[in-house]
Amino acid sequence: MTRPLVAHTRAELREALSKVRARGGLVALVPTMGALHDGHAALMAAARAAVQEADVVVVSIFVNPMQFGPGEDLTRYPRTLDADLDVCAAHGVQVVFCPTVTEVYPGGDPVVTVDPGPDSRSWEGRVRPGHFRGVATVVAKLFGLVRPDLAFFGEKDYEQLVLVRRMVADLCMGIEIVGVPTVREPDGLALSSRNRFLEPDQRLLAQSLSRALSAGVRAGPHGPEAVLAAAREVLEAEPGISLDYLALSDPDLIGTPESGPARVLVAARVGSTRLIDNMALTLGGVS
Ligand code: PAF
């Protein structure tokens, strides 16, 4: 198992990628905030499978302060670099970019940022004002620093995936964005770096998110109202969770269709831990 080359600075990153660039090789990027789990491993495996042996897979590990609001979990967000490097090594990652905040934001808060559109148009944006401005800005910066040909994002953060795709298209960034299906525990809980904060009783409650989504998926043939009603029934049976939103949309998150492909999304707090999840479904078919 070869340890990846670790770049902390822009100059080290440039040096680490210079050889692959000189021979015209591809660069595949997996942006992360660390605390890597099997969901991230699936992103790395997808990146490795999408390129040749001689190309390079880069994982970035950077807990981006700009995407955390006041009172959110920036300081308690898990930082586990040694274990993360083992995960990267096990998945054929050649370069890990883990810059400091000053390396990414050398002039302090950036004056020019990426406007992801109004928060009012986004479920996460309404609950976490400014979050997606922070995400879009740091992803644009990582794209500028790494200059990847492809980048891999988990479907678990579905709004983020759709936003990044839109940013790349609207700003003509010329990067192929690949969405990777959510990895789940055997009981359905979507893997998340935040799951480690759940106490055993909260861990049981947290399953109700995926159970609600699955109930919604099963109700898909009966139409949008049936989906939301089925999912809500599961969530309402668990007073221990505090729902932020339950939503249904088309896969591009533009509007709610009556039939065809759709996405059902949920966010809730279990104790002080905020969890999000979503599933694909098909609406209609039964009249
Ligand atoms: O999904 C994440 O881990 C983060 O939002 C990302 C894309 C690495 C940007 O900080």
Side-chain angles (χ1 to χ4, degrees):
M1 198 162 72
T2 320
R3 293 290 278 182
L5 202 153
V6 180
H8 294 280
T9 65
R10 298 170 181 224
E12 286 167 2
L13 176 68
R14 209 175 308 119
E15 171 64 24
L17 297 180
S18 60
K19 283 207 187 77
V20 77
R21 285 208 201 292
R23 61 170 188 264
L26 294 177
V27 176
L29 172 65
V30 178
T32 80
M33 297 206 298
L36 303 180
H37 49 64
D38 285 353
H40 297 110
L43 299 178
M44 294 174 207
R48 193 64 270 168
V51 298
Q52 307 289 318
E53 206 45 48
D55 298 326
V56 68
V57 175
V58 181
V59 167
S60 63
I61 298 181
F62 178 63
V63 182
N64 172 37
M66 202 184 155
Q67 70 189 72
F68 290 78
E72 289 189 352
D73 56 357
L74 172 62
T75 48
R76 84 161 180 161
Y77 199 85
R79 284 144 172 102
T80 57
L81 185 58
D82 283 344
D84 291 351
L85 293 179
D86 290 341
V87 177
C88 292
H91 291 86
V93 171
Q94 293 106 315
V95 177
V96 175
F97 179 44
C98 44
T100 59
V101 173
T102 323
E103 196 66 26
V104 176
Y105 298 105
D109 289 345
V111 175
V112 176
T113 59
V114 178
D115 181 353
D119 283 337
S120 56
R121 287 185 49 184
S122 141
W123 294 282
E124 278 298 288
R126 272 188 295 256
V127 181
R128 305 182 67 189
H131 169 67
F132 281 133
R133 179 180 297 276
V135 170
T137 302
V138 82
V139 171
K141 282 169 89 70
L142 290 169
F143 285 173
L145 291 167
V146 178
R147 292 193 287 123
D149 301 283
L150 310 94
F152 294 75
F153 291 82
E155 287 185 355
K156 179 177 157 288
D157 294 297
Y158 192 74
E159 274 199 273
Q160 170 174 282
L161 170 63
V162 171
L163 165 68
V164 170
R165 280 213 170 102
R166 187 68 199 250
M167 174 178 80
V168 165
D170 285 356
L171 301 183
C172 311
M173 290 175 155
I175 297 165
E176 186 186 334
I177 302 301
V178 182
V180 177
T182 303
V183 179
R184 298 181 180 280
E185 299 281 7
D187 64 8
L189 180 69
L191 294 196
S192 160
S193 304
R194 292 182 168 101
N195 290 354
R196 69 189 68 199
F197 297 134
L198 297 168
E199 301 293 341
D201 55 328
Q202 297 176 329
R203 174 70 186 66
L204 283 175
L205 286 177
Q207 287 172 23
S208 56
L209 269 69
S210 61
R211 275 198 290 110
L213 294 176
S214 298
V217 171
R218 283 194 300 276
H222 299 279
E225 275 113 61
V227 169
L228 292 172
R232 204 171 291 118
E233 193 181 324
V234 175
L235 295 166
E236 282 171 357
E238 294 291 4
I241 69 166
S242 161
L243 186 65
D244 273 345
Y245 58 81
L246 170 69
L248 182 64
S249 178
D250 68 290
D252 294 328
L253 305 183
I254 293 168
T256 312
E258 281 301 312
S259 62
R263 206 90 197 176
V264 56
L265 306 100
V266 68
R269 284 162 215 277
V270 182
S272 58
T273 304
R274 187 166 185 278
L275 300 172
I276 63 173
D277 197 358
N278 69 87
M279 285 184 190
L281 74 160
T282 306
L283 293 172
V286 171
S287 45

